Amino acid sequence: MEKLIITAALTGNVPTREMTPHVPLSPAEIAADVRRCVDAGASLVHIHARDPEGRPTLDKAIFQETARRIKTLAPDVIIQLSTGARAGRDWEARANPVRLLPEMASFTTGSNNLPGIVYENAPDFLLFLAGVFHATGVKPEIEVFESGMINNALFLQKKKLLEPPLHFDFVLGAPGAMAGTVRNLVFLADSLPPGSTWTVAGIGRSEIPLATAAIAMGGHVRVGIEDNLHLPNGSLATNAQLVETAATIARTMGREIASPAEARRILSLDPQRCDRILASAE
Ligand code: ZN
């Protein structure tokens, strides 16, 4: 089996200081928490931006400052920026994080319900955002909340807008979308074309059980406060504790943890592009 890529999803759009004291919100807090997660075994970080009031934003300057600080404290880690819609529905604003030239950015290839909203990613928006990924050479992590989103990604690949091998993240257990069960994870993993890579983000209490299944299946895992606030014992978790939990399970099973360089190879990322985000942030 390949070594295990652990992604840390530190902040998201939803968690607040009232929900957990451990969520990092400012660029400085996020960068310091990234360093702790890398020390615990993370090779990839999934990054959201918040404004000074803690609200979700797609502001380029805040993403840039966050990236600069991460590169200072954890120069090797792979940075993946979110293009999620809770921070804004304007197409150009949602493309901003990709245009900053991170190594990766998230790309949800379809629509579904989430608490309080329709997470809207219409067909013409998918063509637009896939075009931005194509033009910039940024690798998408295809966020799959429902199985049809795999077909949509393969359609974009057929249109020559996405380049194989594709990398998928199965987001399971979000209220409004597919349940966080091992059966769903097996079905989705079996639905991918050969050569694809995948990770799983279990929401809430499904986070660690689905991570455990993915480690056994040869997939990769995403953990962090964006998806789940608690350790399996019910206490509020830090991001580093969630990474450490996944790393400990992997080591117990005899699966080694990938370094950032090893994760780049597994994900077919060009190592020469790892600092493009710094040049774009000048
Ligand atoms: Zn996210």
Side-chain angles (χ1 to χ4, degrees), residues 9 11-13 46-48 80-84 106 119 143 222 226-227:
T11 303
N13 282 326
H46 172 80
I47 299 295
H48 285 250
Q80 175 189 102
L81 301 184
S82 168
T83 62
S106 60
Y119 186 13
E143 310 290 339
R222 174 175 123 171
E226 169 166 354
D227 302 329

Side-chain angles (χ1 to χ4, degrees), residues 117-139:
I117 63 163
V118 176
Y119 186 13
E120 191 179 315
N121 296 289
D124 50 356
F125 174 71
L126 298 186
L127 287 166
F128 162 76
L129 195 56
V132 177
F133 275 103
H134 181 74
T136 54
V138 172
K139 173 136 184 166

Side-chain angles (χ1 to χ4, degrees), residues 7-23:
T7 299
L10 297 92
T11 303
N13 282 326
V14 176
T16 63
R17 253 320 124 59
E18 290 69 41
M19 292 161 69
T20 174
H22 303 307
V23 61

